[in-house]
Amino acid sequence: MLLSPRRQRTRRTAIPVSRGVAEASDALERLDGPGTDRREGTTTSFNKGGDATEVDSHAPVSQAFAPPMDVQLSGERLVALPDEILLMVFSELSAKDLWATTQVFPGLQRVLRSYDFIRIREQQCFCFKESFLDVKLGVGVHVAAKGREGTLESEFDLLSEQAFDHHGVRRSVQGLAFEHWLPLPISRRHWRKVRKDIGTRFRSIGLAASLKDCTAFDVLCRFMNDVVVKFNREAEMSDGGDPRSTLSHASEKAVEAYFALFHLLLCTATEDPSTIRRANQRIAAFLQGRNSKTACPNLGHLLVAALVSDDGLTEDLTVAIVKETILRNVVWMLDGKGAGMAELSYLEPSDVSDYRLIKTFQASRTSYRLLMFLSLFSRSARVPGKSLELIRDEMFDAHGAPSQGLASHMAAEIRRIKEIDRIPPFLQEMGLRSMPQKAEFSSFLKRMVTRSAVVGYLSQPLTQGQALALRMAKEPGVEVANNVVSEPLGVPMRFTFFPRAGNGLTNGIGTRGRPGHPQRGGYRGGGRGGGGGQGRGRGGRGF
């Protein structure tokens, strides 16, 4: 069989690992030259004149690893060793020594990069230090009971199946508990080992979380959405998050964790055509108007589905999701359980309201950050012109990691996104090419308040006069609509904007109105800012 010169040289030097490491060590000794003193703590180098120089091995790298005069020749001889020998030597070095070696001999960095050596070395069980080459690796998953459906959480510390099943490991490196184990693809060989068990693992997690469907697609949609929510939290743990978690902020580890789940989604989607078909159907139904909370309970899941759909995240889908998000957020914007901005229930007749534009975004900042991240991830991971199979295979080649530099870039982008506090940059970040004018968007936001009551998301406990009184306390210069008189609430009153389940809408004060017909001037608004249209049709891309 004919071999390339490089392969011929490699084949001639194929030797047992133990012997190879020993001979490689001898080769490194020879490269040091006959005058190298290996006493602990010092390195003595002799120049050609016979003069000796001692260097403290604990000194900075620039001193401890100062090259001798013939370092260029020595470096060339070291780099010329077969890759197999170099990799065996590397495997015996600590991370610190490996880094120092590559600083002295930069040519060795080529071998590390070409064989993805660092990444492969890190793919091991955190408990028993076993490599993915030898065992099945995955991550522990905790199902937190929050609401009707559980929330999926993980620290994404790699753990072997044996450590989970046979040794009962149930805590992460940081001590956070988990009850389930989910394998990751990592490489083609590793995926072939774990994929036959993947369905059972997904069903176990889905049942524990009380999900309606426990397929790989539905569990991953939930998991990926929950991961984004977690690392988009504020640095302070005001939401009750565990301070031990390493994924509660935008870090490279958090981004790589999301890519690991995306890789798993790609693997399941490319092997099961029904996954892509379901993603397409879910998106098509949403765009056709079946976008209620009953038909589409979680908009984040829709954005995850777009990652494996035929068309990806289109501008039409983006606009539809932004509209529905704003509509659903109205009640949380107004009610005390959310942002408590009840004054925005007053519909000012002004064409433009800077107060409304600013406060609407601030009231639901977490939701909009989640949308911006998923849009960013879609642009970064779902590269136009690449098939899902090609993207999957590229991630196999990188052992489940994003391309070089992408994780740090996305972590920086997420931190930048957190600083966005206005509607216009939010819409730009979502990739909208046609930006609405301030008057157009102000009118749209007022229509969303009206429509939220029409579709049953919201009740109106206040008259426009009472809402005006609250608004004037926050914005004294707000324009007053015709036929609306300020009605101060007087004594503190308890009211809610949430509709009473199963009983239409309640005004929270003791009288009940019909859905879509708030009493006593609610949402009539007067003037140019009056109520919006009925129904849930989208009517194109515009606002």
Side-chain angles (χ1 to χ4, degrees):
M1 181 175 65
L2 295 177
L3 297 174
S4 65
R6 179 69 173 172
R7 292 293 298 161
Q8 289 176 359
R9 182 176 62 181
T10 300
R11 191 170 189 176
R12 284 199 303 271
T13 56
I15 50 182
V17 172
S18 59
R19 181 184 165 202
V21 172
E23 293 191 8
S25 178
D26 292 340
L28 290 176
E29 291 281 357
R30 291 194 298 272
L31 286 174
D32 286 333
T36 300
D37 182 359
R38 292 190 174 273
R39 290 175 295 164
E40 183 178 358
T42 64
T43 300
T44 305
S45 298
F46 296 89
N47 60 26
K48 293 182 179 180
D51 298 324
T53 303
E54 283 195 356
V55 179
D56 182 3
S57 63
H58 300 295
V61 171
S62 59
Q63 298 177 24
F65 294 92
M69 293 179 62
D70 61 347
V71 69
Q72 182 175 358
L73 177 60
S74 298
E76 291 176 356
R77 293 166 61 188
L78 180 61
V79 175
L81 288 172
D83 289 353
E84 286 89 341
I85 300 296
L86 292 173
L87 291 172
M88 284 188 288
V89 174
F90 293 160
S91 66
E92 299 296 319
L93 298 178
S94 66
K96 179 180 177 181
D97 291 339
L98 183 60
W99 177 84
T101 302
T102 58
Q103 298 306 299
V104 176
F105 303 109
L108 297 179
Q109 296 177 10
R110 173 196 60 80
V111 180
L112 295 180
R113 287 194 298 267
S114 62
Y115 286 92
D116 204 12
F117 181 83
I118 300 297
R119 177 72 182 178
I120 293 174
R121 183 170 172 152
E122 293 174 345
Q123 304 304 296
Q124 62 178 6
C125 172
F126 77 83
C127 187
F128 292 106
K129 308 304 179 186
E130 298 168 305
S131 169
F132 74 97
L133 298 171
D134 304 313
V135 298
K136 298 177 182 179
L137 291 185
V139 294
V141 180
H142 170 58
V143 179
K146 296 180 181 179
R148 288 172 296 181
E149 294 183 347
T151 299
L152 307 186
E153 301 176 354
S154 176
E155 290 299 297
F156 288 88
D157 300 319
L158 289 176
L159 182 71
S160 69
E161 182 184 47
Q162 186 176 12
F164 180 84
D165 286 342
H166 301 295
H167 297 283
V169 178
R170 292 295 184 274
R171 289 192 178 275
S172 69
V173 172
Q174 299 297 328
L176 276 71
F178 53 81
E179 313 83 32
H180 305 274
W181 182 81
L182 182 66
L184 296 179
I186 303 178
S187 68
R188 294 174 179 83
R189 178 172 173 268
H190 189 262
W191 173 242
R192 287 194 294 270
K193 288 194 299 183
V194 303
R195 63 181 172 185
K196 64 179 181 296
D197 304 322
I198 203 81
T200 302
R201 300 292 182 178
F202 276 125
R203 280 192 295 274
S204 174
I205 294 171
L207 289 172
S210 302
L211 301 185
K212 182 179 179 181
D213 296 307
C214 298
T215 64
F217 176 64
D218 290 286
V219 174
L220 281 172
C221 282
R222 179 76 196 205
F223 203 172
M224 294 176 74
N225 185 76
D226 290 346
V227 168
V228 178
V229 171
K230 184 172 183 178
F231 68 69
N232 271 287
R233 289 171 179 164
E234 296 293 339
E236 65 275 7
M237 297 298 174
S238 58
D239 60 349
D242 196 314
R244 294 173 296 173
S245 175
T246 58
L247 294 184
S248 58
H249 62 282
S251 63
E252 291 186 37
K253 181 182 178 182
V255 174
E256 290 187 358
Y258 199 79
F259 267 97
L261 292 180
F262 175 57
H263 192 202
L264 184 55
L265 178 63
L266 286 173
C267 289
T268 56
T270 52
E271 292 194 2
D272 182 8
S274 67
T275 297
I276 300 176
R277 186 165 56 250
R278 288 188 64 197
N280 291 334
Q281 291 171 348
R282 188 172 295 184
I283 292 170
F286 185 84
L287 290 175
Q288 291 167 7
R290 295 194 291 275
N291 45 23
S292 67
K293 287 183 179 180
T294 302
C296 184
N298 194 307
L299 298 176
H301 296 187
L302 199 67
L303 284 160
V304 175
L307 292 172
V308 291
S309 67
D310 287 338
D311 297 328
L313 184 59
T314 64
E315 186 170 359
D316 283 342
L317 179 59
T318 299
V319 171
I321 290 175
V322 169
K323 287 182 175 182
E324 184 65 21
T325 300
I326 293 173
L327 180 66
R328 295 185 185 189
N329 283 344
V330 168
V331 66
W332 292 98
M333 174 181 71
L334 301 179
D335 197 83
K337 292 181 180 179
M341 298 181 181
E343 71 274 7
L344 290 176
S345 63
Y346 169 67
L347 304 180
E348 69 283 343
S350 311
D351 288 335
V352 175
S353 172
D354 289 326
Y355 184 88
R356 183 175 295 278
L357 291 171
I358 293 171
K359 293 299 182 181
T360 297
F361 185 87
Q362 292 178 353
S364 306
R365 193 174 297 168
T366 299
S367 297
Y368 302 135
R369 284 174 177 169
L370 188 149
L371 294 183
M372 287 188 285
F373 169 80
L374 290 173
S375 177
L376 169 67
F377 184 86
S378 181
R379 295 194 303 270
S380 302
R382 185 73 191 270
V383 182
K386 288 187 178 181
S387 65
L388 297 180
E389 290 79 6
L390 179 57
I391 299 173
R392 176 204 62 193
D393 290 343
E394 288 178 345
M395 293 197 70
F396 273 139
D397 294 339
H399 298 92
S403 59
Q404 188 174 8
L406 183 56
S408 59
H409 168 73
M410 288 193 64
E413 286 293 284
I414 295 169
R415 290 190 288 271
R416 180 184 60 81
I417 283 172
K418 282 192 173 184
E419 301 302 317
I420 293 177
D421 60 355
R422 296 290 192 276
I423 291 287
F426 160 66
L427 296 178
Q428 291 175 348
E429 199 65 38
M430 292 301 295
L432 271 63
R433 291 191 295 268
S434 178
M435 296 293 295
Q437 299 298 315
K438 292 175 70 173
E440 180 184 4
F441 208 78
S442 294
S443 177
F444 164 75
L445 293 178
K446 287 183 286 188
R447 292 200 307 273
M448 290 299 98
V449 174
T450 303
R451 185 170 293 173
S452 184
V454 172
V455 299
Y457 293 168
L458 169 75
S459 70
Q460 173 56 293
L462 305 175
T463 67
Q464 281 292 281
Q466 292 170 330
L468 173 61
L470 294 175
R471 182 70 169 270
M472 293 180 71
K474 298 291 182 68
E475 187 190 8
V478 64
E479 185 176 352
V480 180
N482 296 331
N483 303 321
V484 175
V485 178
S486 176
E487 301 174 23
L489 296 177
V491 296
M493 299 180 63
R494 295 179 59 186
F495 52 85
T496 180
F497 287 88
F498 284 95
R500 180 174 297 173
N503 271 325
L505 302 180
T506 174
N507 65 10
I509 305 176
T511 59
R512 186 175 302 147
R514 292 176 296 160
H517 298 278
Q519 298 182 26
R520 299 181 61 194
Y523 300 130
R524 283 181 298 180
R528 298 183 298 275
Q534 308 293 310
R536 298 181 58 81
R538 285 293 173 258
R541 290 184 183 177
F543 290 93

